[in-house]
Amino acid sequence: MDVLRLTLRQLQIFVAVARSGTTTAAADEIALSQSATSSAVNELERLLSLHLFDRVGKRLLLNDNGRALLPRALALLDGAAGIEQMSHEGLAQAQSLRIGASTTIGNYVLPKLLARFMSQWAPGAAEPWRSRIAIGNTASICDAVAAFELDVGLIEGSCHQPALTVTPWLQDEMEVVASPANPLAHAGEDKRAPLRALREQVWLVRESGSGTREVTDQALLPHLRAYRRVIELGSSEAIKHAAAENLGVACLSSWVVRDLIEAGRLARVATTLPRIVRQCHVVVHAKKQLTPALRSFIEGALAATPVFGMPG
């Protein structure tokens, strides 16, 4: 059998330099001297007989060879971390999970999933948990899972990362809502708000890259043609409270608006628009090695009620 010349440490240094762009910053990240980091990169290039970076001043930018190596290096390093975790007991595996969720799921669904998962893996455990939970828009969560920075992602929108395995999960209904002070809030089944009136409204929307924004654009713009007046906000929470203050109308998840509707601060707007349902997904890297704890978390998520919410 051929003797392997590459080491995981070399690949770890390569990844650190690829992410930071300089050997100085990478050295700080991995606790090496700058000269040792630079030497490791040069040795890796020598072993592979390939240049991996373009040198631009003090910066090191991945070239075609480096870009081809990066996903393979990330997969190998993640696999090595998984091998190390095999020696840990189940509780230690569970405590080291890195879970990502897009904003609505992170706020309204993930807490219940985590409570169930922790009750299974550590009932009554007193020691602190060290799992990492990342909340962001769909695009950022998918990017982090693709880079092996997260073990699993729970997303509301579509995934555009070819390296990920995408599994359909919960479905969520989107609702058009407004303040009770908005005249459209008084439309009913017998007199729905016409498209003309909806086009004149100020629309409160999420930022580009958000799963909510992607779904609402796809559902609304074919009918509205464009948002004539729009306010873009960075979270669904901000949007629903802005709508409650009568700053405009919004199309948001039923999970998000349920509390303010029940409190009488928001009202559903009856429209002629088609019913809007979005599909949520669980994403993992296709080359991810699943620990028993991670597999259990994913299976628990997939076992949740698949239509419009979670079981109580």
Side-chain angles (χ1 to χ4, degrees):
M1 185 174 71
D2 292 338
V3 177
L4 294 176
R5 298 177 297 164
L6 299 181
T7 68
L8 290 173
R9 185 59 167 167
Q10 288 173 323
L11 294 178
Q12 185 182 43
I13 293 168
F14 161 74
V15 168
V17 175
R19 285 175 169 167
S20 65
T22 68
T23 54
T24 300
D28 291 338
E29 177 185 333
I30 57 182
L32 274 182
S33 67
Q34 187 277 333
S35 60
T37 302
S38 181
S39 296
V41 171
N42 293 334
E43 177 65 10
L44 179 61
E45 291 183 320
R46 187 190 67 78
L47 288 173
L48 295 176
S49 298
L50 293 171
H51 289 296
L52 302 173
F53 296 94
D54 291 327
R55 274 71 175 176
V56 182
K58 294 184 178 181
R59 293 194 61 79
L60 296 177
L61 305 178
L62 286 176
N63 60 19
D64 289 346
N65 295 325
R67 287 191 292 271
L69 175 60
L70 183 59
R72 298 184 182 189
L74 288 169
L76 286 171
L77 292 171
D78 186 73
I83 291 172
E84 289 186 343
Q85 285 188 348
M86 289 174 60
S87 64
H88 300 162
E89 61 180 8
L91 177 57
Q93 291 179 10
Q95 288 177 329
S96 65
L97 288 183
R98 301 168 300 171
I99 301 167
S102 50
T103 309
T104 300
I105 292 174
N107 286 333
Y108 295 94
V109 179
L110 183 57
K112 184 175 288 188
L113 286 179
L114 284 175
R116 293 182 176 189
F117 176 72
M118 291 175 65
S119 68
Q120 174 189 354
W121 280 82
E127 60 269 21
W129 277 67
R130 300 175 183 84
S131 294
R132 176 189 169 197
I133 308 298
I135 308 296
N137 65 35
T138 292
S140 67
I141 296 300
C142 289
D143 288 345
V145 176
F148 291 98
E149 295 169 1
L150 294 173
D151 298 318
V152 60
L154 310 174
I155 62 170
E156 301 143 25
S158 300
C159 175
H160 304 294
Q161 283 283 358
L164 303 188
T165 298
V166 182
T167 304
W169 184 39
L170 303 177
Q171 289 185 321
D172 179 27
E173 185 164 14
M174 306 292 290
E175 300 189 84
V176 177
V177 294
S179 163
N182 189 311
L184 293 187
H186 304 290
E189 291 295 325
D190 56 335
K191 187 179 180 182
R192 294 170 178 263
L195 290 177
R196 180 184 67 259
L198 293 175
R199 292 181 186 129
E200 295 299 324
Q201 292 291 311
V202 175
W203 281 89
L204 308 172
V205 301
R206 285 287 303 276
E207 78 285 358
S208 297
S210 157
T212 297
R213 177 65 178 270
E214 183 176 23
V215 170
T216 53
D217 281 358
Q218 291 174 353
L220 297 177
L221 291 182
H223 304 278
L224 302 179
R225 304 194 189 107
Y227 303 118
R228 292 187 184 176
R229 297 186 292 167
V230 64
I231 299 175
E232 193 173 279
L233 297 99
S235 74
S236 296
E237 284 291 307
I239 289 175
K240 78 173 182 180
H241 287 290
E245 296 298 328
N246 203 21
L247 295 180
V249 299
C251 183
L252 291 171
S253 161
S254 59
W255 294 325
V256 172
V257 299
R258 183 178 298 138
D259 58 344
L260 292 194
I261 289 176
E262 292 176 353
R265 296 185 57 205
L266 279 178
R268 295 181 178 91
V269 177
T271 75
T272 58
L273 295 168
R275 188 163 169 252
I276 305 171
V277 177
R278 64 176 171 181
Q279 180 69 57
C280 302
H281 301 89
V282 177
V283 296
V284 295
H285 200 289
K287 295 184 179 180
K288 181 69 180 177
Q289 301 296 315
L290 304 186
T291 64
L294 178 57
R295 187 182 302 278
S296 175
F297 175 81
I298 293 172
E299 289 175 351
L302 294 176
T305 301
V307 180
F308 308 138
M310 304 285 295

